[in-house]
Amino acid sequence: EIVLTQSPGTLSLSPGERATLSCRASQSVSSSYLAWYQQKPGQAPRLLIYGASSRATGIPDRFSGSGSGTDFTLTISRLEPEDFAVYYCQQYGSSPPGVTFGGGTKVEIK
Amino acid sequence: QVQLVQSGAEVKKPGASVKVSCKASGYTFTGYYMHWVRQAPGQGLEWMGRINPNSGGTNYAQKFQGRVTMTRDTSISTAYMELSRLRSDDTAVYYCARFIAARSAQHFDYWGQGTLVTVSS
């Protein structure tokens, strides 16, 4: 089973700053199978990035994803007040079929 | 528009079972796998398993094997997740989520609103 490790656990930043979130896999992951989600308190997760770098419908272009193999990154170029939330990476494995989530990174207001 | 609407909150005693429903609308129910994910209070997301609404075939996370059963009723476009022998650490919000399985994309695109299951004596 592939383990996803997200870092840092918490990121304290100010609005307007750049956020860089890391997701490291215990073994190589197909880029097609790596996604990022945003979750706010009391809400279901929302898809941000799929296929490691494709933005989901309606997601602002300040969100970008990159990476391959075992190292993936979510970047928020300039933090808006509504971006303070928890972010999860997720991968799908086909043999056996299953889904793994990272432990999450909380982006909080400094 | 795609919607996944889950059943309401439940309070159960240890040892009991709970069955959560997820009614889909706005798309062809049998065309997409439905997965279940849970989130304990203050914790991260945990995958429980999936069902193919077309065939009824299931795959469960090893942690839940023997305790979870996922079913569906195609006539009403509804998926179900039943968890038995509940323990206090099963207290969580349970989500259904539609899964996109394409050559270049494998991810959840729509989520239910979540169902809080509280296990307490």
Side-chain angles (χ1 to χ4, degrees):
Chain A
E1 178 186 321
I2 294 178
V3 175
L4 298 178
T5 301
Q6 290 188 241
S7 62
T10 302
L11 202 49
S12 298
L13 295 167
S14 300
E17 289 193 293
R18 182 184 188 88
T20 303
L21 288 66
S22 171
C23 176
R24 179 161 291 177
S26 58
Q27 55 188 281
S28 186
V29 171
S30 166
S31 295
S32 299
Y33 295 0
L34 197 287
W36 290 91
Y37 301 85
Q38 176 193 68
Q39 188 179 34
K40 296 179 180 179
Q43 296 183 16
R46 178 176 73 142
L47 175 68
L48 295 176
I49 301 288
Y50 65 91
S53 60
S54 297
R55 270 188 303 277
T57 303
I59 301 303
D61 60 7
R62 64 180 181 273
F63 290 92
S64 64
S66 63
S68 63
T70 59
D71 290 298
F72 297 88
T73 300
L74 174 70
T75 302
I76 310 171
S77 59
R78 287 176 53 85
L79 282 164
E80 296 288 341
E82 62 268 28
D83 299 337
F84 291 92
V86 180
Y87 294 83
Y88 294 95
C89 57
Q90 168 255 314
Q91 73 88 30
Y92 170 78
S94 57
S95 185
V99 169
T100 308
F101 291 96
T105 291
K106 181 179 182 180
V107 178
E108 65 176 23
I109 300 176
K110 186 174 181 179
Chain B
Q1 74 283 21
V2 174
Q3 281 193 301
L4 301 176
V5 179
Q6 298 183 221
S7 48
E10 303 262 14
V11 179
K12 295 291 183 181
K13 293 192 182 304
S17 297
V18 69
K19 190 171 186 177
V20 179
S21 68
C22 171
K23 182 170 179 59
S25 60
Y27 72 98
T28 301
F29 177 65
T30 52
Y32 299 82
Y33 278 77
M34 191 72 78
H35 293 232
W36 291 86
V37 175
R38 77 176 187 179
Q39 186 171 38
Q43 303 301 308
L45 302 169
E46 181 176 33
W47 182 75
M48 299 181 70
R50 70 174 188 177
I51 184 167
N52 179 341
N54 189 39
S55 67
T58 55
N59 300 98
Y60 302 136
Q62 190 166 8
K63 174 177 179 175
F64 300 101
Q65 289 273 4
R67 277 211 307 144
V68 71
T69 304
M70 295 178 187
T71 57
R72 91 292 188 216
D73 184 338
T74 56
S75 69
I76 55 172
S77 299
T78 300
Y80 302 91
M81 186 285 300
E82 184 170 20
L83 190 61
S84 63
R85 303 193 299 279
L86 289 168
R87 307 184 292 253
S88 57
D89 62 358
D90 290 318
T91 294
V93 175
Y94 290 76
Y95 293 102
C96 60
R98 190 179 83 159
F99 193 77
I100 294 289
R103 189 182 185 91
S104 61
Q106 305 268 341
H107 57 270
F108 301 109
D109 62 345
Y110 288 93
W111 296 68
Q113 83 276 19
T115 297
L116 175 61
V117 175
T118 303
V119 183
S120 173
S121 55

